[in-house]
C-alpha cells in the first residue's frame, strides 16, 4: 500500500570521462548516487570494456536505457558528421579517433547523450548549481589542463566544434613565460597545474600558501575573467578543479579582475564581481551530474 | 487590376546610431532603401529632434509603425530594468543616461526594437550576409573604436549587459604599447583607429600601404581571431569598419591566425580560416540593415 511504494524510479547511467579516469555512476533524477566506480583511463579497448562491464552489472539492479557522457575533448559533436561522437586529435596516447559514443551505445544497447566534460559541467551548474537563472554562464576547470564550457540560453555552446577556452591568449604577468607547447602564453600555458609545475620548477601541490606563484596565478585567472566578462557578458563564471580550493585564491581573482576591468564595465544594480565569479554549487560533482544534465535537457 | 498593384509594401524606420552620426532610413522587407539621411551626433536634444523630424516627414509617404534602433553603447538591454533602452555610461559627452528608446518611441508613437550597433550588424550578417546558416557568428568593427556583436542560434548574445569584445585583453606584439585609457593592451587599445594614431604618431589614414603598422595590425587582429575561435568556436568572424578595407589586410590576418593557432584546432572537413574570417556580405549596410533585422527577428 501507499503510493510511494508504487512510484517507479528512473535510473540513468552517467560518465565523466577524463584523461586520467572514467568516473562512472548510476543516478536518478534527484541526483542520488546509487552506484559509482572509477576506472583508470589506459587504452580505449581496456577502459571501455571495464566501463561497459560495470554498467552491465549495475543494470540488473538499476535498469537504465539512457547514458550521459561528459567526455574529455576534443570531440566531434556535430550529429551530421560521419565522425560524430568520436574523440578527435587528442594528445592522450591511443585515444585519437576513438568512436567512444558508438562503442558505448553498442556495448550497452542504450541511447547516449554526449558533450564535452566542461560543457556538461556548465550545464549541471546551470540547472542545479551556482549558475541557475542565468542566460550566459561559463564553467572553467583548472587542473592538469584548463577547460571551459559555455551555456547560452540553456544550451551548451558548440559552434564549429566546441570552445577551447583554455587556449585563449592573454598577456602574461611581467617576468612570466607561459608553457603551452602550442601557444606559450595562453591560459592553459600560464595557469594549468602542468604549467605551474614548469614555471615554478616544482609541483603546484607543493607550493606553500604564501608562495608568490599564487599571486601570479590570481592575476592570470583575473585576466581570463576580464576576457570572459567583456567577451560574453557572463552572468556567472564558475571555477572548478582542484587548484581553486587554494585558500583565498578566489578572492584574489575577484580583486584582480576588478582592477583589470578598471571600472569600464558598469554592472547592473545588485550585480558585482563577488556574485559573478564563484565556486561550483555542486562541489566535486559538476562533471558527473553534467552527464545527467545532458540526458534531462534533451526533449 | 493586377495583384502586384494590390500588394501593400511594409515600410520600416531604421537607425544606425553612432557616436559621430545617426544614419536614418526607411526600408522595406527586401532591404530596399526608400529614404535616407545622416544626422550629426551632437547633443541628445538636438540630434533626436532632427531624427524625429526626418521620420515624421517620411511617414506621410512611407507609413511605418516599427523602428529598429542599432545603437552605440553601452546601452541597457534588459527589458525588466528601469533604465531599459537608456544609453548608460558613455565617454560621448552628454549622452550618458539618455533614454533613447523611450524618446524615439514617444516622439514617433511607434514600437522600437533596440540592440547594440554591433549586435544588430551581426544579426543582419547572419540573416542576409556573410554569416548565413551558422550557429555561432561574430561581427567585429574596427573604426574609431573596436566593437563586436555575437549571434548564437539566431539570437544576439546579451548576458549581463552585452559583450564589449573590443576590450578583450591580448598580448601586445613586441615593442608595442597599447593605448586604451582603461586597459592598455586590449584590442581597442592596440587596433582601433584612435590607437593606431597614438602608436604610430600619425593618423591611420595617412599610413602608407607598406608601413609596418599594417603588419602589426594584422598580428593584433589575428590574436583577436585566435581568441574568438577558441573562445566561441565561431563559424564566421565578419570584419567590418573602414580599416579592414586596407589591401591585403584580411589575408594577413588569416595567415597570422593560422600561425597563432599552431594547428591546435582541427577544423571540420570543408572548413578553414579562409572561409571563417571574412568581410561583410552587406558591405557598408550591415549596421543599417541591422535595424531591420531587429524588427523582423522578433516574433
Amino acid at each position: 500500500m501507499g503510493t510511494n511504494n508504487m512510484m517507479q524510479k528512473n535510473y540513468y547511467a552517467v560518465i565523466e570521462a577524463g584523461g586520467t579516469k572514467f568516473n562512472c555512476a548510476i543516478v536518478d533524477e534527484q541526483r542520488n548516487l546509487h552506484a559509482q566506480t572509477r576506472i583508470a583511463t589506459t587504452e580505449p579497448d581496456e577502459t571501455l570494456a571495464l566501463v561497459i562491464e560495470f554498467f552491465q552489472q549495475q543494470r540488473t539492479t538499476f535498469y537504465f536505457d539512457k547514458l550521459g557522457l561528459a567526455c574529455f575533448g576534443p570531440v566531434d559533436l556535430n550529429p551530421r558528421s560521419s565522425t560524430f561522437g568520436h574523440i578527435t586529435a587528442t594528445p592522450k596516447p591511443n585515444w585519437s579517433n576513438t568512436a567512444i559514443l558508438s562503442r558505448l551505445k553498442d556495448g550497452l544497447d542504450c541511447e547516449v547523450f554526449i558533450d564535452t566534460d566542461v560543457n556538461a559541467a556548465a550545464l549541471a551548474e546551470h540547472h542545479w548549481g551556482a549558475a541557475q537563472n542565468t542566460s550566459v554562464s561559463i564553467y572553467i576547470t583548472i587542473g592538469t589542463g584548463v577547460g571551459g564550457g559555455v551555456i547560452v540560453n540553456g544550451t551548451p555552446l558548440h559552434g564549429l566544434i566546441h570552445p577551447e577556452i583554455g587556449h585563449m591568449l592573454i598577456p602574461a604577468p611581467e617576468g612570466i613565460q607561459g608553457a603551452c607547447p602550442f601557444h606559450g602564453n595562453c591560459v592553459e600555458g600560464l595557469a594549468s597545474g602542468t604549467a605551474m609545475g614548469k614555471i615554478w620548477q616544482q609541483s603546484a601541490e607543493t607550493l606553500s600558501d604564501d608562495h608568490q606563484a599564487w599571486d601570479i596565478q590570481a592575476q592570470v585567472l583575473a585576466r581570463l575573467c576580464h576576457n570572459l566578462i567583456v567577451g560574453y557578458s557572463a552572468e556567472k563564471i564558475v571555477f572548478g578543479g582542484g587548484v581553486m580550493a587554494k585558500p583565498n585564491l578566489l578572492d584574489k581573482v575577484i580583486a584582480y579582475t576588478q582592477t583589470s576591468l578598471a571600472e569600464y564595465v558598469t554592472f547592473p544594480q545588485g550585480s558585482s564581481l563577488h556574485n559573478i565569479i564563484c565556486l561550483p554549487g555542486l562541489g566535486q560533482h559538476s562533471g558527473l551530474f553534467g552527464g545527467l544534465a545532458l540526458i534531462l535537457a534533451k526533449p
Side-chain angles (χ1 to χ4, degrees), chain A:
Chain A
M1 301 213 12
T3 50
N4 275 341
N5 294 342
M6 302 297 285
M7 278 179 66
Q8 182 102 30
K9 246 192 178 65
N10 287 317
Y11 299 107
Y12 302 97
V14 294
I15 305 177
E16 179 184 24
T20 309
K21 62 178 192 302
F22 276 49
N23 191 0
C24 306
I26 300 286
V27 297
D28 61 33
E29 276 120 328
Q30 282 69 48
R31 282 168 285 131
N32 299 302
L33 287 168
H34 296 278
Q36 189 174 13
T37 193
R38 290 183 179 80
I39 292 161
T41 310
T42 57
E43 303 278 320
D45 284 349
E46 184 181 41
T47 303
L48 293 178
L50 289 168
V51 167
I52 289 166
E53 192 189 326
F54 166 75
F55 282 117
Q56 275 168 342
Q57 283 168 359
Q58 297 306 322
R59 201 181 222 171
T60 57
T61 316
F62 306 109
Y63 180 77
F64 64 84
D65 61 3
K66 292 186 169 70
L67 185 154
L69 174 58
C71 191
F72 70 103
V75 57
D76 184 343
L77 299 174
N78 178 2
R80 291 182 304 279
S81 160
S82 61
T83 54
F84 172 60
H86 285 48
I87 292 171
T88 56
T90 173
K92 180 83 189 159
N94 301 311
W95 283 84
S96 288
N97 308 314
T98 299
I100 188 165
L101 183 143
S102 62
R103 288 174 72 167
L104 290 168
K105 181 179 150 86
D106 295 347
L108 289 164
D109 189 24
C110 69
E111 200 176 355
V112 180
F113 301 79
I114 190 172
D115 211 317
T116 60
D117 46 4
V118 278
N119 262 347
L123 193 62
E125 287 292 329
H126 173 73
H127 278 301
W128 305 300
Q132 293 176 59
N133 305 311
T134 55
S135 62
V136 179
S137 65
I138 301 176
Y139 177 88
I140 300 286
T141 178
I142 316 282
T144 317
V146 175
V150 182
I151 305 299
V152 176
N153 297 324
T155 306
L157 189 72
H158 290 159
L160 196 58
I161 311 161
H162 51 73
E164 290 277 2
I165 291 179
H167 290 275
M168 191 178 272
L169 304 173
I170 53 170
E174 215 179 317
I176 302 293
Q177 179 58 50
C180 173
F182 295 95
H183 310 125
N185 293 333
C186 64
V187 180
E188 181 163 298
L190 289 161
S192 68
T194 313
M196 290 186 80
K198 286 187 188 159
I199 292 169
W200 305 105
Q201 300 285 309
Q202 69 181 94
S203 149
E205 290 88 54
T206 66
L207 290 163
S208 65
D209 285 2
D210 60 353
H211 194 288
Q212 64 155 320
W214 297 111
D215 196 64
I216 297 288
Q217 180 78 348
Q219 289 177 43
V220 168
L221 296 181
R223 288 168 197 195
L224 169 63
C225 287
H226 174 127
N227 281 359
L228 299 180
I229 285 168
V230 299
Y232 304 83
S233 200
E235 291 163 84
K236 288 283 179 186
I237 300 170
V238 183
F239 273 106
V243 168
M244 293 311 294
K246 204 76 194 168
N248 304 322
L249 182 54
L250 192 78
D251 287 339
K252 273 193 186 173
V253 172
I254 293 169
Y256 276 123
T257 306
Q258 197 107 44
T259 308
S260 181
L261 289 171
E263 300 190 7
Y264 179 78
V265 176
T266 309
F267 294 105
Q269 213 176 358
S271 284
S272 82
L273 291 176
H274 290 275
N275 49 41
I276 294 170
I277 300 171
C278 61
L279 296 176
L282 302 172
Q284 302 301 308
H285 293 302
S286 315
L288 201 55
F289 291 157
L292 180 64
L294 294 178
I295 298 171
L296 299 182
K298 293 281 169 172

